[in-house]
Amino acid sequence: MESLPDAVVQYILSSLSNAKDVASCNCVSKKWKGSMPYIKSLYFPRSIFDHLSHGQTPDTIVMKIISSVSRLEELVVYCRFTSTGLASWLLLVGPCLKKLELRMDDLVDQNAPMDSPSKLECIQAARNLESLRLWGVLMVRAPKWDVFQKLKNLEIVGAKLEDSVLTEALRSTPNLTHLVLLGCEGLRNVWIELLELKHSKLDFYGLGSCSLTLRAPKIEYLEVQGCSWIRVRETNCLKNLSIANNAGRVYMVEFGKLMVLESLSIRGVQWCWDAISKMLQFASEVQHLYMKIEFTGDFEALLPFPEINFVDFFKSHPKLKSFDIHGAMFAALSHKNSLKNVDSSFDIPCLEEVVITVRSPLNAEQKMSTLESLVKFGKKLKKMKIKILQMKSGHCSADDFFEEICKFRFMNHKLISIE
């Protein structure tokens, strides 16, 4: 290091971000200490101040390190801090900050007086933020924010909030292109209107009975978990869509035309059949389809899928390249009338990869016929994986069915694998 030019040493040291490393480098030499103001990013780990002594507090130590940096662009704080400390830091470096990530711990520490400036309200001082990520947020009232004109990315992980509070907070971020809400509870009717939004991941924690209305005409990627009613009407740009509900049932989905949709994933224990059939109709141009829905039914009773015509299904999805289906959908395609009177000109033009999860040995003959038809009509098929790990083996026909699958694999060993 001694033989390197000062500019190179400064460039190397300015790439440091961990606050412990920065503090250590300050003690090495005057040259190294002189390089610290050029650091662009600071990161304070969760346990960095676990063993403080002599009356020191995390707020004052963070302030001391931040004040030694001339133009800080990114600040990540996972250690504990107070709203007073945050306010003092952001008063100093807020105008130049571009990225801010905070572990708020509001859900753990709810004893702060309501009339004091909240940690959320302190963030207003960083008015030029481009990215904001918050962990453990309690939003019982809307933060008093002006508009964050430059904010493009907002992520909130582990939050307790109300519908109106979320709506009000998002009004202060009109130019978001990326929105992530993970593990958010307390929401019932979510309304999001963001005209520049392109990428969004929404995970609502609870009974799975949330309602979502999204207005985002530029949305390209959307992932939704925990909603029973979903409305997204402007979908001209939507390329990737994932809908899941592991706690409740999906009653209704309402989308605009999905003409550019490339990938669709629908998952859950129970979906109403109307919601499933609508999604398959909307996604007629889809290239990659993943289906893992256990049951259908509009009420408490868990019902199997109705019969689906094999030929009609693939004719209505001509661009399908990869198809991952769970037991219920596979069983629906495998009925005795599905492959009757198949036109000799029928083929599956684009299908390259199929993954099939077999849950039951019932109707083994029809299921084998469906597997054979996928190979026969899938002219471009390169790979078929048959998953039988979860197959119910108590039925007397299970061994015979497994033997038939093994024979089928032996006849097509370059194409088929068994898991």
Side-chain angles (χ1 to χ4, degrees):
M1 292 292 280
E2 286 298 325
S3 63
L4 290 175
D6 289 353
V8 175
V9 174
Q10 179 181 305
Y11 179 80
I12 294 171
L13 295 179
S14 67
S15 300
L16 292 173
S17 61
N18 191 301
K20 190 173 182 179
D21 296 336
V22 172
S24 299
C25 288
N26 268 323
C27 304
V28 174
S29 67
K30 288 183 178 180
K31 180 195 289 188
W32 282 37
K33 187 175 182 178
S35 299
M36 293 302 104
Y38 300 99
I39 287 173
K40 299 293 184 183
S41 174
L42 275 175
Y43 164 58
F44 294 85
R46 179 69 172 164
S47 58
I48 190 171
F49 299 127
D50 281 356
H51 304 289
L52 289 180
S53 57
H54 308 299
Q56 295 175 312
T57 65
D59 288 352
T60 55
I61 298 175
V62 172
M63 183 63 178
K64 185 176 181 180
I65 296 176
I66 286 177
S67 62
S68 68
V69 180
S70 60
R71 190 171 181 82
L72 192 66
E73 295 183 359
E74 180 178 8
L75 177 61
V76 179
V77 182
Y78 285 170
C79 63
R80 295 185 69 86
F81 62 91
T82 66
S83 58
T84 304
L86 180 61
S88 64
W89 311 336
L90 296 184
L91 187 65
L92 181 65
V93 300
C96 59
L97 271 184
K98 294 181 179 179
K99 296 180 181 180
L100 179 62
E101 181 172 352
L102 301 172
R103 181 161 179 161
M104 307 286 277
D105 279 338
D106 291 345
L107 298 179
V108 178
D109 183 13
Q110 301 182 23
N111 298 320
M114 294 297 292
D115 57 348
S116 67
S118 68
K119 294 176 182 178
L120 279 173
E121 290 169 349
C122 294
I123 295 172
Q124 173 60 37
R127 56 185 176 274
N128 294 316
L129 281 178
E130 297 175 6
S131 176
L132 175 61
R133 182 178 294 172
L134 304 173
W135 300 73
V137 183
L138 177 66
M139 277 194 188
V140 294
R141 61 184 183 187
K144 297 176 182 177
W145 285 346
D146 292 334
V147 176
F148 289 91
Q149 293 287 358
K150 296 182 179 181
L151 193 65
K152 301 294 183 183
N153 179 65
L154 174 62
E155 297 184 30
I156 299 177
V157 181
K160 189 173 184 180
L161 61 171
E162 297 179 1
D163 300 334
S164 58
V165 174
L166 176 63
T167 302
E168 189 66 29
L170 292 179
R171 283 189 185 137
S172 302
T173 60
N175 298 317
L176 286 182
T177 59
H178 288 68
L179 173 64
V180 176
L181 303 174
L182 298 181
C184 295
E185 60 177 309
L187 296 168
R188 295 296 302 246
N189 297 291
V190 180
W191 168 271
I192 297 175
E193 183 175 10
L194 294 167
L195 302 184
E196 301 299 321
L197 190 66
K198 294 182 179 180
H199 184 289
S200 185
K201 187 173 183 180
L202 308 173
D203 176 14
F204 303 113
Y205 179 77
L207 299 176
S209 58
C210 192
S211 170
L212 170 67
T213 301
L214 174 66
R215 183 170 179 238
K218 295 183 180 180
I219 192 74
E220 295 178 3
Y221 178 98
L222 177 61
E223 187 172 336
V224 181
Q225 154 68 28
C227 285
S228 291
W229 295 269
I230 303 169
R231 296 178 185 85
V232 187
R233 293 176 181 170
E234 297 173 87
T235 55
N236 292 333
C237 301
L238 191 58
K239 295 180 181 179
N240 293 275
L241 174 62
S242 175
I243 302 174
N245 194 338
N246 298 323
R249 67 176 62 88
V250 176
Y251 287 105
M252 188 274 291
V253 289
E254 187 177 327
F255 286 83
K257 292 183 179 180
L258 299 172
M259 299 306 295
V260 298
L261 189 69
E262 297 175 359
S263 176
L264 172 64
S265 172
I266 52 177
R267 309 184 307 280
V269 176
Q270 184 181 13
W271 282 47
C272 294
W273 181 248
D274 183 62
I276 298 174
S277 58
K278 275 188 176 180
M279 285 310 309
L280 293 177
Q281 290 172 16
F282 293 150
S284 59
E285 304 294 313
V286 73
Q287 298 176 28
H288 310 282
L289 178 59
Y290 179 92
M291 291 185 66
K292 187 181 179 181
I293 301 171
E294 303 276 355
F295 301 98
T296 185
D298 295 340
F299 303 104
E300 296 296 328
L302 301 175
L303 303 177
F305 283 21
E307 295 180 354
I308 298 174
N309 186 277
F310 181 92
V311 176
D312 291 344
F313 175 81
F314 284 102
K315 279 186 175 180
S316 61
H317 298 87
K319 296 182 180 179
L320 200 59
K321 289 184 178 180
S322 67
F323 191 21
D324 192 324
I325 51 175
H326 203 253
M329 183 63 179
F330 179 51
L333 288 168
S334 304
H335 60 90
K336 60 183 179 180
N337 299 317
S338 188
L339 291 164
K340 278 187 177 180
N341 305 317
V342 179
D343 192 319
S344 58
S345 63
F346 170 71
D347 69 347
I348 307 173
C350 300
L351 192 64
E352 297 178 358
E353 183 176 348
V354 179
V355 179
I356 300 170
T357 300
V358 182
R359 294 296 305 273
S360 169
L362 297 177
N363 300 321
E365 185 178 347
Q366 285 79 27
K367 289 176 179 177
M368 285 306 306
S369 180
T370 301
L371 293 174
E372 291 164 0
S373 298
L374 286 167
V375 173
K376 178 180 178 181
F377 298 115
K379 304 299 183 182
K380 294 184 179 180
L381 193 64
K382 298 176 182 178
K383 182 180 179 182
M384 176 187 285
K385 179 186 288 186
I386 304 172
K387 296 184 176 182
I388 59 170
L389 287 174
Q390 297 176 335
M391 187 168 73
K392 299 171 184 175
S393 58
H395 197 273
C396 59
S397 62
D399 289 344
D400 294 337
F401 185 34
F402 177 63
E403 187 175 343
E404 288 297 317
I405 292 176
C406 290
K407 289 178 182 177
F408 182 55
R409 180 194 175 278
F410 181 76
M411 297 295 292
N412 303 273
H413 63 277
K414 293 184 178 179
L415 191 66
I416 298 171
S417 63
I418 298 175
E419 184 180 288

